[in-house]
Amino acid sequence: MSRIFSGIQPSGELHIGNYLGAVKNWVQLQHTHDGALFCVVDYHAITGNYDPAVLRARRWEMAKSLFAAGIDPTRAHVFLQSDVPEHTELSWIFTTLTPLGDLERQTQFKDKSSKVESIPAGLLMYPVLQSADILLYRADAVPVGEDQIQHLELARDTARKWNARFGEGYFPEPKPLLTPTRRILGLDGQSKMSKSLGNTVGLLETDDEIWAKLRPAVTDPQRVRKTDAGRPDVCNVYQLHKAFSDTETQANVVQQCTTAGWGCMDCKKVLLGNIVEELTPIRHRAAMLDAEPARILDALADGGRAARAIAQETMREVRERMGLDAVHPPRA
Ligand code: TYM
C-alpha cells in the first residue's frame, strides 16, 4: 500500500482552495491508507519576513483547522515540521544533488523572487526542502493541488539521482494525487485562491463574512443584465457550485443561468447555502477544539513521535549508504 504524505504552510488560515485541492482528499485518504502523514510545514513559512508571535499562532490555528476539517489523529499523523529535525538534514543532502538551474526554473520561485528586492536563498531552496519532507517518509503518493506538480517533479528527479548514486530503489518516486478541484480561483475569478494574494475564503469564516466576499464575486463578464443568458463554463461561481453543490443543483444552475431564469445573485445565494452546509460541521469541531486545547497538543505530540521514528530510521540508512555513519579506524 502506498504511503501518503502531504504538507501545508501555516502562513494564514486554511481556505477553501486548500480544502478542495488537498485537505478534503486527505480526510478521505486517511480511511484507506493507514498512518498517512500530514505536516504543518513551518520551516517553509519563514522564507520571507515574518513575526514569530504570528507564526506561533498560525501553526496552532492550522493544526486545529486540519483536525476540524476531519483529520482523525487516531488514523493519521499530524505534526509540525520543526519537531522533526531530520527534514532539514535530508534537505542539505539533497541540495548537493540538485542543479541550480532546476531550482531557478521553478515557477513559484520566479513568481515570489520577482516581488522582493533581495532574494533569500531559502526561497530558491524551498523545493529541495519539500523533496526532503516527502522522501524522508519514503512516501510515494502526495495529495496536493495543481500548483505543487512542478515541485513533485523535482522530488522525483531527486529520488532518481540519489538512488542512482547511493541505493537503487531506496526512495520511491512520489506521485501527486489530484482532485477534480485541483485549482480553485479566488473570487475575482482571475487568479488562484491564495493566502499571498489575500483573495481567500477561510474555512472558519462566518456566514456573513463569506457572503460579504461572495456577493461581489466575478461571474460571466458578458452577463451584464439579469435578462442576459450566462455561460456557466466561464463562470467561477459555477465552478464553486461544482465543488459544493450536488449534481441536481449543478444541473439546475446551468439551466437557470443559460435561460436567464436566475440572476447571478440568486445563484450565489444557493451557493452560499451549500458552502455553509459543508462548513458548519467543521466550525463546530473547531469550537470544540477551542474548548479542549489539550487534544490538539496531545495529537501533535503523538504525530511528532510517529514521524520522528520513521524519519530517524530513514536518516540512519541514508547516512550509512552515503558514508556518513559511525566512524572507525581504517581496516588493514
Ligand atoms: P500550500 O500551503 O500553499 O497549500 C497547501 C495545499 O493546498 C493546495 N492549494 C490549492 N489547491 C487548489 N486550489 C487552490 N487555489 C489552492 N491553493 C493551495 C496546494 O496545492 C497544497 O496541496 N509547498 C507546499 C507545502 C509543502 C508540501 C510539502 C506539500 C511543503 N512540503 C510536501 C506536499 C508535500 C505549499 O506551499 O502548499
Side-chain angles (χ1 to χ4, degrees):
M1 192 174 57
S2 49
R3 172 167 282 163
I4 306 277
F5 177 93
S6 200
I8 187 161
Q9 289 199 53
S11 47
E13 63 185 354
L14 182 58
H15 58 74
I16 61 173
N18 301 137
Y19 178 66
L20 297 170
V23 174
K24 197 173 173 184
N25 203 14
W26 302 1
V27 173
Q28 281 162 7
L29 288 164
Q30 70 181 343
H31 296 293
T32 48
H33 294 74
D34 285 340
L37 296 133
F38 300 120
C39 184
V40 177
V41 292
D42 43 11
Y43 276 135
H44 279 93
I46 60 170
T47 52
N49 278 336
Y50 74 97
D51 176 342
V54 172
L55 177 64
R56 200 171 284 120
R58 284 180 170 171
R59 296 190 313 166
W60 178 265
E61 287 300 313
M62 184 53 75
K64 182 181 85 185
S65 299
L66 292 179
F67 295 125
I71 305 289
D72 173 355
T74 67
R75 304 202 68 93
H77 309 300
V78 176
F79 65 101
L80 299 172
Q81 186 183 30
S82 58
D83 274 349
V84 186
E86 286 78 7
H87 285 249
T88 44
E89 185 180 356
L90 188 58
S91 177
W92 168 253
I93 286 173
F94 287 164
T95 61
T96 67
L97 298 172
T98 310
L100 201 51
D102 287 4
L103 297 176
E104 286 165 343
R105 261 197 300 282
Q106 298 288 316
T107 316
Q108 290 205 354
F109 171 69
K110 287 198 268 183
D111 276 0
K112 291 192 174 156
S113 61
S114 67
K115 293 181 188 130
V116 289
E117 214 171 283
S118 162
I119 304 167
L123 211 52
L124 185 70
M125 297 303 160
Y126 181 107
V128 183
L129 180 59
Q130 181 157 346
S131 302
D133 297 338
I134 300 164
L135 297 178
L136 189 55
Y137 302 97
R138 300 172 72 196
D140 42 17
V142 188
V144 283
E146 190 179 79
D147 58 350
Q148 299 302 314
I149 289 179
Q150 199 185 23
H151 287 167
L152 287 194
E153 271 164 25
L154 189 84
R156 282 198 295 281
D157 285 350
T158 305
R160 267 195 295 276
K161 282 199 185 108
W162 191 94
N163 288 348
R165 283 192 55 188
F166 303 111
E168 210 44 74
Y170 183 69
F171 286 121
E173 292 180 24
K175 309 229 165 16
L177 295 181
L178 299 167
T179 65
T181 45
R182 60 181 66 181
R183 185 167 187 268
I184 298 294
L185 296 182
L187 295 176
D188 53 5
Q190 299 291 320
S191 33
K192 190 188 76 169
M193 184 174 286
S194 151
K195 290 166 251 199
S196 55
L197 295 174
N199 62 359
T200 57
V201 175
L203 229 51
L204 303 181
E205 288 193 87
T206 64
D207 300 6
D208 288 348
E209 285 167 334
I210 297 176
W211 181 241
K213 292 177 176 178
L214 190 55
R215 200 175 40 77
V218 172
T219 55
D220 173 3
Q222 281 183 21
R223 191 172 186 199
V224 183
R225 276 172 249 98
K226 191 175 169 179
T227 48
D228 296 338
R231 298 167 302 165
D233 49 320
V234 299
C235 176
N236 190 35
V237 169
Y238 176 59
Q239 295 307 318
L240 291 172
H241 268 292
K242 287 213 258 185
F244 285 105
S245 303
D246 58 27
T247 44
E248 208 176 302
T249 309
Q250 289 172 37
N252 197 23
V253 167
V254 172
Q255 162 75 12
Q256 298 294 339
C257 176
T258 52
T259 57
W262 284 351
C264 292
M265 224 30 100
D266 303 320
C267 185
K268 289 174 179 176
K269 279 185 190 145
V270 176
L271 175 61
L272 177 72
N274 291 337
I275 294 179
V276 168
E277 196 177 315
E278 176 135 3
L279 299 189
T280 298
I282 297 178
R283 294 178 195 156
H284 283 161
R285 280 193 293 267
M288 275 164 52
L289 288 165
D290 279 334
E292 282 182 278
R295 284 177 52 192
I296 299 176
L297 281 175
D298 290 349
L300 288 178
D302 288 349
R305 252 190 307 277
R308 275 193 301 278
I310 304 171
Q312 284 165 4
E313 177 53 22
T314 304
M315 283 316 300
R316 193 188 61 71
E317 295 196 49
V318 165
R319 284 197 217 103
E320 190 178 298
R321 287 165 200 240
M322 295 184 73
L324 295 163
D325 49 350
V327 74
H328 51 70
R331 293 194 180 93

